[in-house]
Amino acid sequence: MSDEFIKQETNVTGEGFLPGLAIDTVIFGFHDNQLKVLLLTYKNTGLFALPGGFIHQNEDVNEAARRVLFSRTALTDIFLEQFYVFGNKNRHDVAPLKTIMAARNFIPLNDHWLLKRFVSVGYYALVDFTKVIPTPDSISDSCDWFSLDALPTLMQDHQEIVNKALQTLQANLDHKLIGFNLLSETFTMGDLQSLYETILNKKLIRAAFQRKMLSLCILERIAKKWTGGAHKAPYLYRFISENNILS
Amino acid sequence: MSDEFIKQETNVTGEGFLPGLAIDTVIFGFHDNQLKVLLLTYKNTGLFALPGGFIHQNEDVNEAARRVLFSRTALTDIFLEQFYVFGNKNRHDVAPLKTIMAARNFIPLNDHWLLKRFVSVGYYALVDFTKVIPTPDSISDSCDWFSLDALPTLMQDHQEIVNKALQTLQANLDHKLIGFNLLSETFTMGDLQSLYETILNKKLIRAAFQRKMLSLCILERIAKKWTGGAHKAPYLYRFISENNILS
DNA sequence: TTATTATTGTAACATAATGATACAATAATA
DNA sequence: TATTATTGTATCATTATGTTACAATAATAA
């Protein structure tokens, strides 16, 4: 949910939005050799949630997902992809929504559109951690990165959504070249291997990994990198952009 | 859409259904070395469409997809999986729906729920061609298998849905073992190779394919098969069911 | 009954991909 | 200038895949 929440709250029938359909986005970043997820908290509730939102009547669902992503990260041209529709009837839980509204001194009627059953389209985004400045919006206390392996308790079925997003990321990592979306413009071979190891949660063989990556002809070697370490400095690489996959 | 269409038609507000959300299912079969898709035609309209339907208020979306599949094939325990959400605003096209209704002498008001914008969750199913008896329901003239490479013009964006389903099938074929869902209980190595070749649309090396499949330890060799051919009879194989993937 | 035929199952070898080890090169530090 | 830890890559071992060949054999024809 975004800045538009206020509009949505007082808009009792949900006029202008597709009814019963929401978007939740798992925004992945990579930092300190850890996968991170962007979470927000709703004011005075202690509830942690994935950034999400609703779809305008005159808007493609994928467009809406990009709008939501932009509203949270201010980034465009980001890898963003659907991965699953969460449509179980028992995921409908009005309690947290009422809590959020109550914390804003808004008491909805029982037939308020936001309290009806929602099906959510899950998206995952891969962003350059260094380019994102998490910014809370008007209804959020905070918007912050959390390590994937130390997430707080999430609202509704958002933990399940994160799990499924990670599975999808793992399954697609090799097949496509999507992993590169998590790195900054330039990176070392070590950075890249570390990213792969973190996502796949297993050690890879250094020599074989390097040989494989170089054989793919998707990397451009740039220059020497200065490192703090007392050892040979690694090359910097750049992902050749013709191969870039945004979605 | 199913037998429930009559209910849905006279149910002007869509009471009991999730609003604006539909399911479309690409049901794949394999016969005569060709991939087949199950299509239906609506009475007196000449419109070809994928079997689809709507979601009950008290039903999981995945449940609804199984219900739709069952209503069309009478099969349970079938591989069925979501693959994409079709949510473009321009896919909203009321003309064919009005045609279908008009052919049944039903003239809907302009705010009839079925004429509103719909987002559709795409599912694909893999079924044993020999076990399916396509049966038209009350609003369909026909329900038949069509070769994937000779489909008639489809309603709305259903061709796009078929295309995306095929891409998904191709991408998942090796990774999972889903292809086996398209074969009957027992099959020859030739049958299996032929299936793979058809789905992937490329020739595979016989010796390597056989070696690979046997090395996976997912096949049980049963007995000699009698063939009409003047040559050595092939073994029959069965897919070891512990590996079975239904969804 | 026996030879012919086409296809199957698999062996054998060639090539390619990956795993494992080793080592020279070298940037920062001492 | 020597030490140190890490990088880049070469080398060999192992595994996987591509290619060719051929014996086995069910149906047909002679």
Side-chain angles (χ1 to χ4, degrees):
Chain A
M1 296 162 206
S2 71
D3 266 319
E4 298 196 341
F5 193 84
I6 301 152
K7 233 188 302 173
Q8 292 153 8
E9 211 171 47
T10 52
N11 174 359
V12 175
T13 60
E15 182 70 26
F17 292 100
L18 295 193
L21 196 60
I23 282 170
D24 284 302
T25 309
V26 182
I27 304 173
F28 287 109
F30 184 64
H31 189 63
D32 284 343
N33 289 342
Q34 288 188 310
L35 273 176
K36 307 278 187 178
V37 171
L38 206 60
L39 296 179
L40 51 83
T41 53
Y42 288 107
K43 274 180 181 157
N44 310 315
T45 65
L47 289 171
F48 288 90
L50 292 171
F54 306 101
I55 301 129
H56 295 153
Q57 275 291 353
N58 63 344
E59 182 183 45
D60 296 345
V61 176
N62 288 344
E63 257 180 50
R66 293 215 169 265
R67 175 174 51 75
V68 169
L69 179 65
F70 179 77
S71 76
R72 194 60 54 190
T73 65
L75 288 176
T76 53
D77 299 329
I78 290 301
F79 179 92
L80 177 68
E81 201 170 75
Q82 295 181 17
F83 66 96
Y84 201 71
V85 175
F86 297 87
N88 282 357
K89 58 178 186 284
N90 61 14
R91 75 184 293 274
H92 176 60
D93 180 10
V94 298
L97 278 169
K98 284 187 171 173
T99 304
I100 293 167
M101 291 173 166
R104 301 168 29 73
N105 296 316
F106 183 88
I107 310 299
L109 296 174
N110 277 334
D111 65 346
H112 192 286
W113 76 297
L114 289 176
L115 301 183
K116 296 213 166 82
R117 174 180 168 187
F118 268 83
V119 168
S120 185
V121 184
Y123 283 79
Y124 74 109
L126 305 180
V127 306
D128 178 351
F129 183 89
T130 63
K131 291 225 181 91
V132 175
I133 302 154
T135 318
D137 60 22
S138 60
I139 59 153
S140 307
D141 274 330
S142 67
C143 175
D144 280 308
W145 290 109
F146 287 79
S147 283
L148 192 59
D149 49 16
L151 294 183
T153 301
L154 301 186
M155 211 174 96
Q156 293 181 331
D157 59 350
H158 287 196
Q159 181 65 55
E160 188 193 336
I161 296 178
V162 171
N163 295 345
K164 189 103 183 173
L166 178 62
Q167 284 168 26
T168 306
L169 176 56
Q170 289 172 338
N172 291 346
L173 181 62
D174 261 6
H175 180 53
K176 303 174 169 191
L177 301 166
I178 60 176
F180 293 89
N181 292 285
L182 287 166
L183 295 171
S184 49
E185 174 75 14
T186 60
F187 46 87
T188 67
M189 196 56 76
D191 292 337
L192 186 59
Q193 184 177 343
S194 175
L195 171 64
Y196 269 67
E197 289 180 340
T198 304
I199 292 177
L200 299 176
N201 195 31
K202 69 173 178 188
K203 277 261 162 260
L204 300 175
I205 298 147
R206 190 177 64 87
F209 181 82
Q210 181 141 348
R211 181 177 50 199
K212 179 72 180 169
M213 283 299 151
L214 293 178
S215 76
L216 292 175
C217 294
I218 53 170
L219 293 180
E220 187 183 359
R221 182 177 286 179
I222 308 175
K224 292 286 182 176
K225 179 194 184 188
W226 145 88
T227 66
H231 52 74
K232 178 176 176 180
Y235 287 105
L236 277 180
Y237 297 90
R238 190 204 318 271
F239 185 49
I240 295 173
S241 53
E242 290 107 72
N243 300 298
N244 210 353
I245 295 169
L246 289 177
S247 173
Chain B
M1 298 161 202
S2 71
D3 266 319
E4 297 195 342
F5 193 84
I6 301 155
K7 234 188 300 173
Q8 291 154 9
E9 211 172 46
T10 52
N11 175 357
V12 176
T13 59
E15 181 71 27
F17 292 100
L18 296 192
L21 197 60
I23 282 170
D24 285 302
T25 310
V26 182
I27 304 174
F28 286 110
F30 184 63
H31 189 62
D32 285 341
N33 290 341
Q34 288 189 309
L35 273 177
K36 308 279 186 177
V37 171
L38 207 60
L39 296 179
L40 52 82
T41 52
Y42 288 108
K43 275 182 181 155
N44 310 315
T45 65
L47 289 171
F48 288 90
L50 293 170
F54 305 101
I55 301 129
H56 294 153
Q57 276 290 354
N58 63 344
E59 183 182 45
D60 295 346
V61 175
N62 288 344
E63 256 180 51
R66 293 216 168 266
R67 175 174 52 74
V68 168
L69 178 64
F70 179 76
S71 77
R72 193 59 55 189
T73 65
L75 288 176
T76 53
D77 299 330
I78 291 299
F79 180 92
L80 177 68
E81 203 171 74
Q82 294 181 20
F83 66 95
Y84 201 71
V85 175
F86 298 87
N88 282 357
K89 57 177 187 287
N90 61 12
R91 73 183 294 272
H92 176 60
D93 179 8
V94 298
L97 280 169
K98 283 188 171 172
T99 304
I100 293 166
M101 291 173 167
R104 302 169 27 75
N105 296 316
F106 183 88
I107 310 297
L109 296 175
N110 277 334
D111 65 346
H112 191 286
W113 76 297
L114 289 175
L115 301 183
K116 296 213 167 83
R117 174 179 169 189
F118 268 83
V119 169
S120 186
V121 184
Y123 282 80
Y124 74 111
L126 306 180
V127 306
D128 178 351
F129 183 90
T130 63
K131 290 224 181 92
V132 174
I133 301 156
T135 318
D137 61 21
S138 60
I139 58 150
S140 306
D141 274 329
S142 68
C143 175
D144 281 306
W145 290 108
F146 287 79
S147 283
L148 192 59
D149 48 16
L151 294 183
T153 302
L154 302 185
M155 211 173 95
Q156 292 180 332
D157 59 350
H158 287 196
Q159 181 66 54
E160 188 193 335
I161 297 178
V162 170
N163 295 346
K164 189 103 183 173
L166 178 62
Q167 283 168 25
T168 307
L169 175 56
Q170 289 172 338
N172 290 347
L173 181 61
D174 260 7
H175 179 53
K176 303 176 168 188
L177 301 166
I178 59 175
F180 293 89
N181 292 284
L182 286 167
L183 294 171
S184 49
E185 174 75 13
T186 61
F187 47 86
T188 68
M189 196 56 76
D191 292 337
L192 186 59
Q193 185 178 340
S194 174
L195 171 65
Y196 269 67
E197 288 181 341
T198 304
I199 292 177
L200 300 176
N201 196 31
K202 68 173 179 188
K203 279 262 162 258
L204 301 174
I205 297 147
R206 191 176 63 89
F209 181 81
Q210 181 140 349
R211 182 178 50 200
K212 179 71 180 168
M213 282 299 151
L214 293 178
S215 77
L216 292 175
C217 294
I218 53 171
L219 292 180
E220 186 183 1
R221 182 177 287 180
I222 308 175
K224 292 285 181 172
K225 180 196 184 189
W226 143 89
T227 67
H231 52 76
K232 177 175 178 180
Y235 287 106
L236 278 179
Y237 297 89
R238 191 203 319 270
F239 185 50
I240 295 172
S241 53
E242 290 107 70
N243 300 300
N244 210 354
I245 296 168
L246 289 178
S247 174

